[in-house]
Amino acid sequence: MKKIKLIWDFRGPDAAKIAEHHEIHLKEYINLEKISLNITGNEIINELYAIAFMVVAQENMIAVRDALKPHRGELYIE
């Protein structure tokens, strides 16, 4: 099964806090929609740039993308 990492980019002095908070909402969405994969996270790239992400199965990607509007996506390799 191919997995896709959906990514939300946050920039500015509060980027890290926003990305951390956004991950909470991603987890809530996973529970609400009963999505089988439960992989989320947030990463601080530098002091003004951070990301939040969730990993979905390729067959679920379009529905999740349309619902949550990520900024970008990439192939997820474990």
Side-chain angles (χ1 to χ4, degrees):
M1 165 179 58
K2 284 189 179 179
K3 298 175 185 172
I4 309 296
K5 181 178 181 180
L6 300 175
I7 302 168
W8 291 262
D9 300 295
F10 301 100
R11 299 179 191 280
D14 295 326
K17 288 182 182 180
I18 295 169
E20 183 179 328
H21 182 78
H22 192 73
E23 183 186 3
I24 293 168
H25 292 296
L26 295 176
K27 289 179 180 183
E28 290 171 347
Y29 180 82
I30 288 170
N31 289 331
L32 183 68
E33 297 296 321
K34 297 175 179 52
I35 295 175
S36 60
L37 288 177
N38 190 15
I39 302 170
T40 64
N42 65 80
E43 297 175 18
I44 299 171
I45 309 302
N46 63 45
E47 63 186 34
L48 296 175
Y49 178 44
I51 65 169
F53 66 87
M54 76 181 285
V55 177
V56 297
Q58 185 174 9
E59 57 266 15
N60 297 332
M61 187 277 296
I62 292 176
V64 175
R65 180 200 66 193
D66 290 350
L68 300 182
K69 310 286 192 237
H71 298 124
R72 57 195 172 96
E74 60 186 39
L75 189 60
Y76 180 73
I77 301 173
E78 294 181 78

